[in-house]
PDB file of all heavy atoms in Angstrom:
ATOM      1  N   VAL A 219      19.134   0.451  -1.482  1.00 98.00           N
ATOM      2  CA  VAL A 219      18.116   0.244  -0.353  1.00 98.00           C
ATOM      3  C   VAL A 219      18.838   0.451   1.008  1.00 98.00           C
ATOM      4  O   VAL A 219      18.287   1.176   1.907  1.00 98.00           O
ATOM      5  CB  VAL A 219      17.627  -1.207  -0.388  1.00 98.00           C
ATOM      6  CG1 VAL A 219      16.745  -1.532   0.785  1.00 98.00           C
ATOM      7  CG2 VAL A 219      16.846  -1.428  -1.630  1.00 98.00           C
ATOM      8  N   ALA A 220      20.105   0.060   1.152  1.00 98.00           N
ATOM      9  CA  ALA A 220      20.818   0.261   2.368  1.00 98.00           C
ATOM     10  C   ALA A 220      21.012   1.818   2.614  1.00 98.00           C
ATOM     11  O   ALA A 220      20.922   2.347   3.691  1.00 98.00           O
ATOM     12  CB  ALA A 220      22.180  -0.435   2.334  1.00 98.00           C
ATOM     13  N   ASP A 221      21.394   2.518   1.546  1.00 98.00           N
ATOM     14  CA  ASP A 221      21.514   3.985   1.711  1.00 98.00           C
ATOM     15  C   ASP A 221      20.252   4.643   2.182  1.00 98.00           C
ATOM     16  O   ASP A 221      20.280   5.540   3.006  1.00 98.00           O
ATOM     17  CB  ASP A 221      22.010   4.584   0.342  1.00 98.00           C
ATOM     18  CG  ASP A 221      23.438   4.119   0.023  1.00 98.00           C
ATOM     19  OD1 ASP A 221      24.117   3.602   0.884  1.00 98.00           O
ATOM     20  OD2 ASP A 221      23.813   4.320  -1.153  1.00 98.00           O
ATOM     21  N   ALA A 222      19.087   4.173   1.511  1.00 98.00           N
ATOM     22  CA  ALA A 222      17.911   4.777   1.899  1.00 98.00           C
ATOM     23  C   ALA A 222      17.535   4.524   3.371  1.00 98.00           C
ATOM     24  O   ALA A 222      16.951   5.324   4.103  1.00 98.00           O
ATOM     25  CB  ALA A 222      16.734   4.242   0.996  1.00 98.00           C
ATOM     26  N   LEU A 223      17.808   3.309   3.817  1.00 98.00           N
ATOM     27  CA  LEU A 223      17.531   2.946   5.211  1.00 98.00           C
ATOM     28  C   LEU A 223      18.383   3.711   6.193  1.00 98.00           C
ATOM     29  O   LEU A 223      17.968   4.150   7.287  1.00 98.00           O
ATOM     30  CB  LEU A 223      17.766   1.416   5.462  1.00 98.00           C
ATOM     31  CG  LEU A 223      16.740   0.414   4.758  1.00 98.00           C
ATOM     32  CD1 LEU A 223      17.121  -0.913   4.830  1.00 98.00           C
ATOM     33  CD2 LEU A 223      15.298   0.782   5.263  1.00 98.00           C
ATOM     34  N   ARG A 224      19.656   3.976   5.810  1.00 98.00           N
ATOM     35  CA  ARG A 224      20.549   4.879   6.689  1.00 98.00           C
ATOM     36  C   ARG A 224      19.989   6.217   6.694  1.00 98.00           C
ATOM     37  O   ARG A 224      19.929   6.849   7.801  1.00 98.00           O
ATOM     38  CB  ARG A 224      21.934   4.834   6.121  1.00 98.00           C
ATOM     39  CG  ARG A 224      22.621   3.544   6.348  1.00 98.00           C
ATOM     40  CD  ARG A 224      24.153   3.566   5.988  1.00 98.00           C
ATOM     41  NE  ARG A 224      24.470   3.975   4.577  1.00 98.00           N
ATOM     42  CZ  ARG A 224      24.880   5.151   4.140  1.00 98.00           C
ATOM     43  NH1 ARG A 224      24.976   6.145   5.069  1.00 98.00           N
ATOM     44  NH2 ARG A 224      25.008   5.395   2.917  1.00 98.00           N
ATOM     45  N   GLY A 225      19.420   6.794   5.616  1.00 98.00           N
ATOM     46  CA  GLY A 225      18.932   8.106   5.710  1.00 98.00           C
ATOM     47  C   GLY A 225      17.587   8.101   6.426  1.00 98.00           C
ATOM     48  O   GLY A 225      17.298   9.105   7.058  1.00 98.00           O
ATOM     49  N   MET A 226      16.816   7.046   6.385  1.00 98.00           N
ATOM     50  CA  MET A 226      15.529   6.955   7.170  1.00 98.00           C
ATOM     51  C   MET A 226      15.818   7.018   8.617  1.00 98.00           C
ATOM     52  O   MET A 226      15.098   7.664   9.380  1.00 98.00           O
ATOM     53  CB  MET A 226      14.785   5.756   6.625  1.00 98.00           C
ATOM     54  CG  MET A 226      13.368   5.673   7.194  1.00 98.00           C
ATOM     55  SD  MET A 226      12.479   4.222   6.492  1.00 98.00           S
ATOM     56  CE  MET A 226      10.804   4.757   6.844  1.00 98.00           C
ATOM     57  N   ALA A 227      16.864   6.257   9.023  1.00 98.00           N
ATOM     58  CA  ALA A 227      17.218   6.213  10.420  1.00 98.00           C
ATOM     59  C   ALA A 227      17.609   7.594  10.940  1.00 98.00           C
ATOM     60  O   ALA A 227      17.259   7.943  12.067  1.00 98.00           O
ATOM     61  CB  ALA A 227      18.376   5.223  10.655  1.00 98.00           C
ATOM     62  N   ALA A 228      18.318   8.353  10.033  1.00 98.00           N
ATOM     63  CA  ALA A 228      18.792   9.717  10.470  1.00 98.00           C
ATOM     64  C   ALA A 228      17.699  10.650  10.598  1.00 98.00           C
ATOM     65  O   ALA A 228      17.667  11.602  11.389  1.00 98.00           O
ATOM     66  CB  ALA A 228      19.900  10.088   9.518  1.00 98.00           C
ATOM     67  N   ALA A 229      16.662  10.468   9.721  1.00 98.00           N
ATOM     68  CA  ALA A 229      15.492  11.406   9.684  1.00 98.00           C
ATOM     69  C   ALA A 229      14.432  11.124  10.726  1.00 98.00           C
ATOM     70  O   ALA A 229      13.720  12.043  11.171  1.00 98.00           O
ATOM     71  CB  ALA A 229      14.950  11.364   8.308  1.00 98.00           C
ATOM     72  N   HIS A 230      14.319   9.843  11.187  1.00 98.00           N
ATOM     73  CA  HIS A 230      13.178   9.508  12.038  1.00 98.00           C
ATOM     74  C   HIS A 230      13.652   8.641  13.234  1.00 98.00           C
ATOM     75  O   HIS A 230      13.723   7.462  13.334  1.00 98.00           O
ATOM     76  CB  HIS A 230      12.155   8.617  11.224  1.00 98.00           C
ATOM     77  CG  HIS A 230      11.717   9.329   9.966  1.00 98.00           C
ATOM     78  ND1 HIS A 230      10.823  10.378  10.103  1.00 98.00           N
ATOM     79  CD2 HIS A 230      11.965   9.116   8.683  1.00 98.00           C
ATOM     80  CE1 HIS A 230      10.605  10.787   8.856  1.00 98.00           C
ATOM     81  NE2 HIS A 230      11.196   9.985   8.022  1.00 98.00           N
ATOM     82  N   VAL A 235      16.028   1.225  12.902  1.00 98.00           N
ATOM     83  CA  VAL A 235      16.252   0.770  11.622  1.00 98.00           C
ATOM     84  C   VAL A 235      17.488  -0.068  11.614  1.00 98.00           C
ATOM     85  O   VAL A 235      18.586   0.432  11.860  1.00 98.00           O
ATOM     86  CB  VAL A 235      16.387   1.995  10.688  1.00 98.00           C
ATOM     87  CG1 VAL A 235      16.594   1.386   9.188  1.00 98.00           C
ATOM     88  CG2 VAL A 235      15.165   2.885  10.607  1.00 98.00           C
ATOM     89  N   VAL A 237      19.769  -1.655   9.382  1.00 98.00           N
ATOM     90  CA  VAL A 237      20.238  -1.585   7.929  1.00 98.00           C
ATOM     91  C   VAL A 237      20.711  -2.877   7.416  1.00 98.00           C
ATOM     92  O   VAL A 237      20.350  -3.292   6.324  1.00 98.00           O
ATOM     93  CB  VAL A 237      21.205  -0.421   7.766  1.00 98.00           C
ATOM     94  CG1 VAL A 237      21.661  -0.345   6.365  1.00 98.00           C
ATOM     95  CG2 VAL A 237      20.661   0.913   8.201  1.00 98.00           C
TER      96      VAL A 237
END
Side-chain angles (χ1 to χ4, degrees):
V219 175
D221 291 345
L223 290 175
R224 289 190 298 106
M226 192 172 195
H230 302 291
V235 182
V237 177

